[in-house]
């Protein structure tokens, strides 16, 4: 649990904000020097997401998506804008959102809102999103704040909407990274937090073809 590794909550958040302010506003910066895995990541995410967008009585809509921890908009540009009519982006680093406006190009006109805010303080507009995509950012929230944020995401979903988490998973327990002030949780801890938020897992998948030296990455869909 993060309560065991995060000694000072205020410091945990402020140190992370400071860290990201110094990160280059590039794809390589967003991916911690692993920019070359971006297309593998996006292709896997698209296949995962399209299972829910196919025809059927409980099909997830394609009107509006929310990109959480959006950075410069890598996921918005390559995954969400090709599939959804409009996208909103939220990130704690203002410089990244400013960069996104040029990085996204012409298609960026379909980004309705750029919210500069930490997820612990952000509330998605109720009943508004078909998909809320949360990638490589849950480690920047304490367990309580993550659970509360997921509850707010649940309220933000339209009928048949889904919340997706894609993130690193530790082998066991919760590991603190002092460099970027984040935690990495194991699968059981993440599943418990999802349940605590009142969400039900619909699908879970391990990312393939990533470098061996990085954490295992899993994608979860829930509502």
């Amino acid at each position: 649990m993060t309560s065991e590794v995060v000694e000072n909550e205020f410091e945990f958040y402020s140190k992370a904000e400071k860290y990201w302010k110094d990160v280059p506003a590039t794809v390589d910066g967003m991916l911690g020097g692993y920019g070359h895995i971006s297309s593998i990541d996006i292709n896997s995410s698209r296949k995962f997401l399209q299972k829910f967008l196919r025809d059927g009585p409980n099909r997830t809509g394609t009107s509006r998506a929310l990109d959480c921890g959006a950075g410069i908009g890598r996921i918005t540009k390559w995954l969400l804008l090709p599939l959804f009519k409009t996208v909103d982006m939220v990130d704690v680093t203002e410089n990244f959102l400013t960069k996104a406006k040029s990085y996204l190009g012409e298609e960026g006109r379909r980004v309705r809102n750029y919210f500069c805010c930490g997820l612990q303080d952000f509330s998605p507009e109720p009943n508004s999103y078909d998909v809320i995509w949360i990638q490589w950012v849950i480690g920047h929230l304490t367990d309580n704040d993550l659970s509360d944020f997921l509850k707010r995401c649940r309220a933000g979903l339209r009928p048949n909407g889904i919340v997706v988490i894609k993130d690193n998973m530790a082998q066991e327990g919760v590991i603190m990274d002092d460099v970027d002030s984040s935690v990495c949780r194991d699968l059981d801890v993440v599943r418990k937090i999802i349940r605590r938020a009142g969400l039900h897992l619909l699908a879970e998948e391990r990312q393939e073809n990533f470098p061996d030296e990085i954490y295992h990455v899993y994608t979860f869909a829930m509502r």
Side-chain angles (χ1 to χ4, degrees):
M1 306 296 281
T2 52
S3 56
E4 293 163 14
V5 294
V6 176
E7 292 173 11
N8 182 318
E9 206 172 289
F10 175 79
E11 200 175 277
F12 175 68
Y13 285 117
S14 57
K15 195 175 169 186
E17 275 194 54
K18 187 173 182 300
Y19 169 85
W20 285 106
K21 275 182 181 155
D22 294 331
V23 168
T26 61
V27 169
D28 213 40
M30 300 302 96
L31 294 177
Y34 283 89
H36 60 283
I37 68 170
S38 184
S39 59
I40 299 169
D41 168 59
I42 294 290
N43 288 337
S44 298
S45 294
R46 188 182 299 112
K47 282 180 192 161
F48 183 89
L49 190 49
Q50 280 174 331
K51 294 177 205 165
F52 298 94
L53 306 181
R54 290 185 189 129
D55 289 338
N58 299 313
R59 186 176 74 88
T60 297
T62 54
S63 294
R64 192 173 172 199
L66 174 65
D67 185 357
C68 299
I72 63 169
R74 181 185 71 91
I75 290 162
T76 290
K77 182 181 177 86
W78 300 110
L79 177 68
L80 301 177
L81 281 172
L83 295 172
F84 295 88
K85 290 188 184 74
T86 63
V87 178
D88 288 347
M89 294 169 58
V90 55
D91 197 275
V92 75
T93 307
E94 195 170 352
N95 180 42
F96 294 164
L97 295 175
T98 302
K99 173 69 178 178
K101 289 167 187 174
S102 57
Y103 173 73
L104 294 171
E106 280 293 294
E107 293 299 301
R109 287 177 303 176
R110 293 189 291 112
V111 175
R112 298 190 349 158
N113 295 295
Y114 296 86
F115 299 109
C116 188
C117 187
L119 298 184
Q120 69 276 17
D121 299 316
F122 182 73
S123 294
E125 190 184 329
N127 193 33
S128 293
Y129 297 103
D130 297 298
V131 169
I132 296 178
W133 193 274
I134 309 165
Q135 183 161 346
W136 280 322
V137 69
I138 65 168
H140 285 301
L141 297 174
T142 64
D143 290 353
N144 286 340
D145 282 344
L146 177 54
S147 176
D148 289 345
F149 176 60
L150 289 175
K151 285 175 190 170
R152 298 194 296 275
C153 286
R154 193 181 75 196
L157 293 178
R158 290 157 57 100
N160 297 321
I162 57 169
V163 177
V164 178
I165 287 175
K166 186 169 187 178
D167 221 302
N168 302 336
M169 299 293 138
Q171 289 287 86
E172 189 179 352
V174 180
I175 300 164
M176 181 78 188
D177 184 337
D178 282 323
V179 177
D180 67 355
S181 192
S182 70
V183 296
C184 186
R185 302 168 172 93
D186 71 24
L187 281 166
D188 284 343
V189 173
V190 173
R191 289 187 197 115
K192 276 177 194 162
I193 293 169
I194 288 167
R195 284 197 300 271
R196 209 170 104 195
L199 288 158
H200 300 283
L201 267 179
L202 304 172
E204 180 184 308
E205 184 177 287
R206 183 176 160 190
Q207 172 71 49
E208 295 178 347
N209 302 319
F210 268 10
D212 291 337
E213 71 270 16
I214 67 174
Y215 284 115
H216 293 168
V217 172
Y218 278 78
T219 311
F220 307 87
M222 63 208 91
R223 66 165 64 105

